[in-house]
Amino acid sequence: MSQRGVGKTKQKKERKNPQLAPVTDCRCAGPFYKPVGMMLLSLLTGARDQKRAPATRERARLPRGRRSSRRRAGGEQARMRAGGREDEEASRKLKSMDVDKAENGGGAGEESPRPAVKYYGWKAMPFIIGNETFEKLGTLGTSANLLVYLTQVFHMRSVDAATLLNGLNGTTSLAPIIGAFLSDAYLGRYLALAIASVASLIGMFLLTLTAGADSLHPAECPAADGPCGNKATSYQLAVLFMAFAFLVLGSAGIRPCSMPFGADQFNPHTESGRRGINSFFNWYYFTFTAAMMISATVIIYVQSNVSWPIGLGIPTALMFLACVLFFMGTRLYVRVTPEGSPFTSVVQVLSAALKKRSLKQPKDPKQDLFDPPHTSAMVTKLAHTDQFRCLDKAAIVASPEEVRPGGAAPADPWRLCSVQQVEEVKCLIRIVPVWSTGIIYYVAVVQQSTYVVLSALQSDRRLGNFHIPAASFTVFAMLAQTLWIPFYDRLLLPKLRKVTGKEEGFTLLQRQGIGIALSTVAMVISAIVEDRRRAIALSHPTLGTTITGGAISAMSSLWMVPQLMVLGLSEAFNLISQIEFYYKEIPEHMRSVAGALAFCNLALGNYLSGFLVTIVHRTTGSGRNWLAQDLNKGRLDLFYWTIAGIGVFNFIYFVICARWYRFKGTSN
């Protein structure tokens, strides 16, 4: 038969069975472009076929009749040798093929058992980063000014409002742990983000209604001194708390899933994909800080000086745009399917190791431990390590009855676990010491929103005829982050790659260490500036008094800008690398938990800072209180020196943890 006849016969077969048709991604239309696309595809597949084994090439050169007869003969011989085990071998081969194709970024061709994953990378980023930016503009623009809203509109006492917000902020920071678990175990990151985005929109809408509808907030108080008697009713508080509940639900899904979901869009098995992941974390945090800057200036100004309904309506509209952007990019997203509760495997390893604690350590882990073929297409195969060897006992086969026939699965997963399960638990344990350093690190970071504001209130905040709001000084820390991230990613990082030979320039642990060191430097600068501010207030004429009765120092408040810039720079180093570190080092099926760990650090850092303030206040209160209501009568500089000293010990502790740490995937 002529070559043209063979081509027509092949086309007829492909029309009858579409699965035989070659997979193409050519979107060109018309009779001219289609043959060109097919020719290019044939050239590419032909080049790939050159790497086949000689027997494969020999089989390809045989005539069609001899090829089919040899295939039948070989099949009969194989069935005779296998003794009825051909189904098991075929199944095992199919699974290994899935793993190989998944680890190599997917494959094309008619032998592929499942469609290859297509990564759109940066094409999906406008929808993901746009969603995150508008979401942060909406939620942060509201939460940053809630204390003022509750005291001015709902007429709460400042103590009650502060207590309510402390509980709300703590719950908002801890809720991502639950959201991360549900995402990794059942929902998947896409569905979790979809539900959370809608929940945040509902919460913002309800909160806007409490300001816009007269029946949903107390009546305005007459302009008079003294407390206001118009209190919120039970119905009004119920609507307010319902809005807070939806906002907490939104943060539970958005905070842990947004960043890992964005990183999922890049192919981790290619060099361009790995570089895309590294740059994504930087640009993600860049948009985060930019949104915070706009929220801390424009939106707060509208809320406080123009109108509360308009000031809350703008963030609600931005949250609506965030939802629209997220759902517009649905067709481009790579969605990682959840594989069940990741914590069940952790508990199984601990339980099995405890039950077999009396067994001796295996002499040869490669021979003595249960290590079945790795079949997961999503989770990376981990090599055995010699750390935490007591956990290896969970993978010791104490008797043949512990393994099912075929040797691929344990009879009781609570008595026998695989080496892969044991190594995943080891990954989590190795991360804990490094993670704990972030709690102490945040003690320095949270000072920019507490005592830095109080120092600014007792400083000269005049800038010409304009008075800088004390709460707006946090913008300088955000400005440092916003300027540094594009400078590092576009200018400094390419040069660091040439010097260090690493794709990320500095390693993730090095960047975290730099951030901890910079936070300590920021506390030292803060102590020096505060001592100078207090000295000028005591030795020079003051500029009046604050509402709380403290004298205003003649020192310009702009002297606090350097310490805030250094603190913002430390966040740019530490916080971004923290999240990226958790994302890369935690097993893939627990990556939403990685996104929640940083927020858990922030929550615990706030609690630790509050505990430290309480200890210092009670210890020094009997004499000269370091944290007196009037900072000129206290010694806030000594409090800063204390935090700096804690930061030095935290840095030493971090260096020890970093030198001990073994990255995921490295063997003995």
Side-chain angles (χ1 to χ4, degrees):
M1 184 183 295
S2 65
Q3 187 174 359
R4 183 175 180 181
V6 172
K8 289 183 177 180
T9 305
K10 185 177 180 180
Q11 291 177 4
K12 291 180 180 178
K13 290 184 178 181
E14 289 174 356
R15 282 195 295 268
K16 293 180 180 179
N17 189 358
Q19 295 179 352
L20 296 177
V23 179
T24 65
D25 193 28
C26 182
R27 295 180 173 82
C28 302
F32 173 74
Y33 294 102
K34 189 171 182 180
V36 174
M38 295 297 296
M39 180 181 66
L40 291 175
L41 180 65
S42 63
L43 289 175
L44 292 174
T45 54
R48 188 173 64 245
D49 290 341
Q50 294 294 330
K51 300 179 181 179
R52 293 180 179 176
T56 306
R57 291 195 296 267
E58 177 71 21
R59 190 163 54 249
R61 286 195 294 266
L62 289 174
R64 189 170 184 178
R66 292 180 59 188
R67 197 186 314 165
S68 59
S69 61
R70 175 176 290 190
R71 190 183 301 114
R72 287 193 298 270
E76 293 175 359
Q77 294 176 4
R79 282 191 293 272
M80 293 175 62
R81 289 194 303 266
R85 294 194 302 268
E86 65 273 13
D87 292 338
E88 181 180 352
E89 294 295 331
S91 176
R92 187 176 302 158
K93 183 177 180 181
L94 185 64
K95 290 182 178 178
S96 63
M97 188 185 305
D98 288 353
V99 175
D100 291 339
K101 289 183 179 295
E103 292 179 349
N104 292 320
E110 55 191 34
E111 294 181 355
S112 177
R114 64 178 67 175
V117 177
K118 187 168 185 178
Y119 295 90
Y120 285 92
W122 288 108
K123 292 182 179 179
M125 288 306 104
F127 304 101
I128 296 176
I129 295 182
N131 165 262
E132 176 68 14
T133 302
F134 287 121
E135 187 270 333
K136 286 294 177 289
L137 281 171
T139 56
L140 292 177
T142 300
S143 60
N145 213 21
L146 272 180
L147 182 64
V148 179
Y149 179 70
L150 294 178
T151 54
Q152 289 186 357
V153 178
F154 273 76
H155 309 311
M156 290 186 181
R157 294 187 306 169
S158 58
V159 175
D160 296 335
T163 303
L164 174 60
L165 288 184
N166 284 333
L168 177 64
N169 292 334
T171 306
T172 302
S173 298
L174 293 178
I177 294 293
I178 301 175
F181 167 76
L182 294 176
S183 170
D184 285 336
Y186 307 108
L187 300 177
R189 282 184 274 276
Y190 172 81
L191 185 57
L193 280 171
I195 296 174
S197 298
V198 175
S200 292
L201 177 61
I202 296 174
M204 293 297 305
F205 179 73
L206 290 176
L207 191 61
T208 304
L209 283 181
T210 61
D214 294 337
S215 60
L216 295 180
H217 64 260
E220 294 185 4
C221 293
D225 296 333
C228 179
N230 298 333
K231 303 298 182 182
T233 64
S234 300
Y235 172 72
Q236 293 168 346
L237 290 177
V239 177
L240 179 67
F241 292 157
M242 187 182 299
F244 289 163
F246 276 104
L247 291 176
V248 170
L249 178 61
S251 67
I254 293 176
R255 288 189 176 186
C257 298
S258 182
M259 186 173 288
F261 182 71
D264 288 342
Q265 309 310 311
F266 296 92
N267 189 347
H269 307 292
T270 63
E271 182 178 356
S272 61
R274 290 190 293 269
R275 290 193 175 187
I277 293 175
N278 295 333
S279 294
F280 166 73
F281 283 104
N282 290 328
W283 286 105
Y284 179 96
Y285 200 67
F286 170 81
T287 59
F288 177 82
T289 54
M292 289 178 64
M293 288 181 61
I294 298 175
S295 298
T297 53
V298 178
I299 294 180
I300 289 180
Y301 176 82
V302 174
Q303 292 173 351
S304 302
N305 298 280
V306 179
S307 168
W308 278 107
I310 297 176
L312 292 175
I314 293 175
T316 304
L318 293 174
M319 190 64 228
F320 176 75
L321 290 178
C323 293
V324 171
L325 275 175
F326 178 76
F327 289 111
M328 282 177 60
T330 297
R331 63 182 183 86
L332 300 178
Y333 299 148
V334 173
R335 308 183 201 178
V336 178
T337 304
E339 294 189 347
S341 173
F343 296 106
T344 302
S345 178
V346 176
V347 178
Q348 287 174 344
V349 171
L350 298 178
S351 174
L354 182 63
K355 293 176 181 177
K356 297 181 177 180
R357 62 186 181 276
S358 59
L359 299 180
K360 294 182 179 180
Q361 291 289 349
K363 296 181 180 180
D364 187 2
K366 294 183 178 180
Q367 300 294 331
D368 300 336
L369 298 182
F370 178 61
D371 192 12
H374 187 64
T375 59
S376 176
M378 186 182 72
V379 182
T380 305
K381 170 66 176 175
L382 299 178
H384 178 265
T385 59
D386 57 3
Q387 288 181 320
F388 312 112
R389 295 192 63 190
C390 59
L391 296 177
D392 290 344
K393 295 182 179 181
I396 297 178
V397 182
S399 62
E401 290 77 14
E402 290 187 346
V403 183
R404 290 182 179 179
D412 184 3
W414 293 92
R415 289 196 60 87
L416 179 64
C417 301
S418 65
V419 173
Q420 175 72 13
Q421 290 177 279
V422 173
E423 290 303 321
E424 289 176 359
V425 176
K426 290 182 181 181
C427 286
L428 296 178
I429 297 176
R430 280 193 291 263
I431 285 175
V432 171
V434 178
W435 171 80
S436 64
T437 63
I439 301 175
I440 306 175
Y441 163 76
Y442 274 110
V443 174
V445 173
V446 298
Q447 302 308 317
Q448 62 180 310
S449 59
T450 54
Y451 280 100
V452 170
V453 177
L454 296 178
S455 296
L457 286 172
Q458 293 191 233
S459 304
D460 184 6
R461 294 180 285 115
R462 293 177 299 181
L463 191 62
N465 295 325
F466 177 72
H467 281 71
I468 304 175
S472 296
F473 272 84
T474 56
V475 172
F476 292 107
M478 303 174 194
L479 180 63
Q481 301 169 33
T482 306
L483 295 177
W484 170 256
I485 291 173
F487 171 78
Y488 176 81
D489 189 77
R490 293 302 176 187
L491 298 179
L492 188 59
L493 185 58
K495 297 180 180 180
L496 286 175
R497 283 172 178 158
K498 297 179 181 179
V499 175
T500 63
K502 299 181 177 64
E503 291 183 359
E504 66 271 24
F506 293 120
T507 66
L508 296 175
L509 292 177
Q510 287 173 343
R511 286 157 58 186
Q512 290 185 55
I514 293 173
I516 293 175
L518 288 176
S519 69
T520 304
V521 173
M523 287 296 100
V524 172
I525 299 175
S526 301
I528 296 173
V529 172
E530 172 58 24
D531 181 64
R532 180 63 177 168
R533 187 208 62 78
R534 176 177 165 274
I536 292 178
L538 296 177
S539 60
H540 292 73
T542 58
L543 304 179
T545 58
T546 63
I547 298 176
T548 57
I552 300 176
S553 174
M555 188 195 80
S556 173
S557 57
L558 295 178
W559 282 103
M560 292 189 293
V561 172
Q563 70 196 46
L564 291 170
M565 297 285 282
V566 174
L567 204 56
L569 193 61
S570 76
E571 283 192 84
F573 271 101
N574 188 277
L575 182 57
I576 301 174
S577 56
Q578 260 197 71
I579 299 176
E580 187 175 353
F581 174 77
Y582 302 145
Y583 176 84
K584 291 183 176 180
E585 292 302 304
I586 282 182
E588 288 84 347
H589 57 299
M590 300 179 66
R591 278 179 172 169
S592 296
V593 176
L597 284 178
F599 292 102
C600 187
N601 262 350
L602 179 59
L604 296 177
N606 276 280
Y607 294 148
L608 181 59
S609 177
F611 176 75
L612 183 62
V613 168
T614 302
I615 294 297
V616 171
H617 183 75
R618 292 183 177 180
T619 304
T620 63
S622 58
R624 187 169 191 175
N625 192 346
W626 289 5
L627 305 176
Q629 184 75 9
D630 183 1
L631 297 182
N632 297 331
K633 298 179 181 179
R635 292 301 303 270
L636 181 59
D637 56 320
L638 297 181
F639 179 66
Y640 285 150
W641 281 114
T642 302
I643 298 177
I646 295 174
V648 171
F649 284 105
N650 188 38
F651 178 75
I652 296 173
Y653 170 60
F654 174 81
V655 171
I656 296 173
C657 295
R659 292 180 63 86
W660 168 83
Y661 186 81
R662 179 174 294 164
F663 281 90
K664 185 179 75 173
T666 56
S667 61
N668 295 333

